[in-house]
Structure formats: C-alpha cells, structure tokens
Amino acid sequence: MLDEITVLLLTYNEAPNIGRTLEKLRWAHRVLIVDSFSTDETIAIAGRFPNVEIVQRRFDSFARQCNFGLEHIRSSWVLSLDADYILSDDLISEIANLANSDAAQAFSVRFRYCIRGKTLRASLYPPRTVLYRKDGARYQDDGHGHRVSMSGEAKTLSGYIDHDDRKTFDRWLSEQTRYSIAEARKLRETPPARLNFADRLRCWVVPAPFLMFFYTLFVKGLILDGWRGWYYVLQRTLAETVLSLRLMEARLGVRGEPEL
C-alpha cells in the first residue's frame, strides 16, 4: 500500500516543524510540498530529503492550494498532512498493511495534541480525513479550514497523528487573527439550522470564551497537564475571544472587513 501513496503537504515558513514531519515520511516514494513562497529555512530543510518534490503557488485559500497539489499527483492514494503532523509508528504500520482492494474510499485519523513534544491528555482537535483515493477527491474551504469531499465508504484508522506545532506564539496569534475572519464570515453567512452545536454557541458571542475556558480546563481535564495544559486552555480561550470580537464588530455595525 505504501508504494501507492503520494504525501501532500502545504507549507509556509514551517522551519520549526517540517524536518520532524519529513523524518517520519522517509518511507514515502514521493512527498509533494505545495509551498506558499516561504521566506525562512523551510525549502532548504525540505530539500535535504530525497523523496521530496517542491512546487510553489501564492496562497489564496487552503482548498485551492490542496486542489493545485492534487493536479500534480498521479498515484492512486493521497496522504494529506499539515507540516506539523507527526505520524506515529503504529499508524505507519497500519497504513502499510492496508489492502489496496479495500472498498473504503478514504480513512480518517485521530490526533494527539502536543505542546513542545509532550502529549496532552485531551484536545479539541477532531479526527480528519487524511488518506483517500485520488480519483474524485476535491477540497472545499470550510471557515478557516478545508475538507476533502468524495463519494464512497470512509473508515477510521486506529493509529494516531501527533499534532506538534512549535512555531512562536507571535506566529500563532497572527494566524488566529486571520483565521477568525474566515470563521466569523462562515458563522454570519451559514443558516443556523446548518450550524453544529458548538458553532451555534459561538453565535451567542459573549459566553463562548468563558465556556471554552471551563470546558477545556475541567471537562477535558487539562488542569491535570500542568503548564502545558494551561497553555493550551489559554490558547483556545484567546482564539474564541478573538472570534467573539469579530462577531461583535459585525453586530455593532463596524464597517469593512480585513483581508484574509
């Protein structure tokens, strides 16, 4: 199965992460990186891996970047990853043992969230479809994120991916500020009946950051993870606060919307 897979990676200034991710992808015959013209050491680090091919495209949306990457893939299967996704050995072994004749069109994977290499006991990061047949696959933007759509059966693998982003807090905050624009637009433009429960809570604006704080700290048990747990809790609370402020701007009639 491994010989039938091309890995698809999106990058922009991922020097703190890309080397660790690619170390776990040495088994891959081809890793296609779609880079948004990084200005740090991302390209130099990626170039040290002989199975890596790099193409560049100016970023406009995650879905368009991924669809551009799909146009450059000829293999039967695609493994779509972010530059801070570290495959576990168990997951690599599980993928290697999949039969290409399996009726499933796609496989989703669960995540373990890490802070500086240490795994948290829980997070809010949902499972994601990362391994899929290339034929018929197409990405769509979904708020600040993106998702692949296809027809056919989907299964969930038992192995995990470690999400271990080691970029600086300033970079994280800059990204969250940009993400909040797309998320606020999605919440404003989507009919309430089509929103999930969490997004309907966000539309209440004021309670969302407080609920996020107590839910992650106590319900998810991250208070037991010490400073790393607190770091994640405060990150998520701050992200919800920024989103609430975006929604509040709209209700107050603040004109104009920042560019994504």
Side-chain angles (χ1 to χ4, degrees):
M1 177 68 168
L2 296 183
D3 291 339
E4 301 294 325
I5 297 172
T6 297
V7 180
L8 175 62
L9 275 172
L10 304 187
T11 60
Y12 176 69
N13 288 354
E14 290 288 350
N17 298 317
I18 191 64
R20 291 177 293 109
T21 296
L22 292 175
E23 280 292 341
K24 284 293 188 178
L25 296 172
R26 288 188 179 273
W27 54 265
H29 177 71
R30 183 183 183 222
V31 177
L32 178 67
I33 289 180
V34 179
D35 181 74
S36 303
F37 292 92
S38 293
T39 58
D40 66 357
E41 297 300 312
T42 297
I43 299 299
I45 295 170
R48 299 170 191 164
F49 294 83
N51 60 341
V52 168
E53 177 184 341
I54 301 168
V55 295
Q56 292 186 303
R57 179 183 185 273
R58 292 290 178 191
F59 182 87
D60 49 8
S61 81
F62 285 110
R64 292 190 183 100
Q65 292 294 94
C66 287
N67 288 331
F68 174 79
L70 290 179
E71 293 173 1
H72 291 75
I73 292 176
R74 300 291 177 265
S75 61
S76 302
W77 289 84
V78 178
L79 178 61
S80 177
L81 304 174
D82 287 354
D84 51 13
Y85 287 1
I86 314 298
L87 270 60
S88 65
D89 291 337
D90 288 343
L91 179 60
I92 295 172
S93 177
E94 186 177 6
I95 293 173
N97 289 316
L98 289 175
N100 199 24
S101 58
D102 194 303
Q105 297 294 305
F107 296 89
S108 62
V109 177
R110 295 168 295 171
F111 290 83
R112 296 181 297 211
Y113 203 94
C114 302
I115 302 293
R116 294 289 166 178
K118 300 293 184 179
T119 305
L120 299 178
R121 67 186 61 242
S123 77
L124 302 177
Y125 211 86
R128 177 181 166 187
T129 300
V130 296
L131 179 64
Y132 52 85
R133 295 184 187 271
K134 195 248 181 183
D135 288 345
R138 189 75 180 171
Y139 278 89
Q140 299 175 341
D141 288 311
D142 184 14
H144 79 271
H146 57 294
R147 57 185 175 84
V148 65
S149 60
M150 64 193 64
S151 60
E153 183 183 4
K155 295 181 179 179
T156 301
L157 299 175
S158 60
Y160 283 85
I161 292 175
D162 289 331
H163 182 285
D164 189 6
D165 187 359
R166 301 194 189 182
K167 296 191 292 290
T168 65
F169 172 74
D170 285 344
R171 172 73 181 277
W172 177 88
L173 184 59
S174 174
E175 290 177 344
Q176 293 303 315
T177 301
R178 179 165 54 87
Y179 293 164
S180 69
I181 300 169
E183 284 298 311
R185 184 182 300 162
K186 171 189 171 182
L187 293 177
R188 295 197 312 269
E189 295 177 355
T190 304
R194 293 176 53 194
L195 294 174
N196 60 32
F197 179 70
D199 283 340
R200 290 199 297 272
L201 285 179
R202 289 186 174 99
C203 290
W204 293 357
V205 181
V206 175
F210 299 98
L211 292 171
M212 177 63 71
F213 178 83
F214 286 105
Y215 181 72
T216 52
L217 189 64
F218 297 113
V219 178
K220 287 291 190 178
L222 291 172
I223 192 173
L224 302 175
D225 282 332
W227 287 114
R228 288 180 173 83
W230 276 103
Y231 188 82
Y232 181 80
V233 169
L234 293 177
Q235 271 192 336
R236 298 323 312 158
T237 302
L238 180 54
E240 286 296 326
T241 301
V242 172
L243 177 58
S244 290
L245 288 169
R246 293 282 183 207
L247 294 171
M248 200 174 295
E249 275 190 336
R251 295 192 180 188
L252 291 172
V254 176
R255 297 198 173 189
E257 189 174 71
E259 292 296 329
L260 286 171

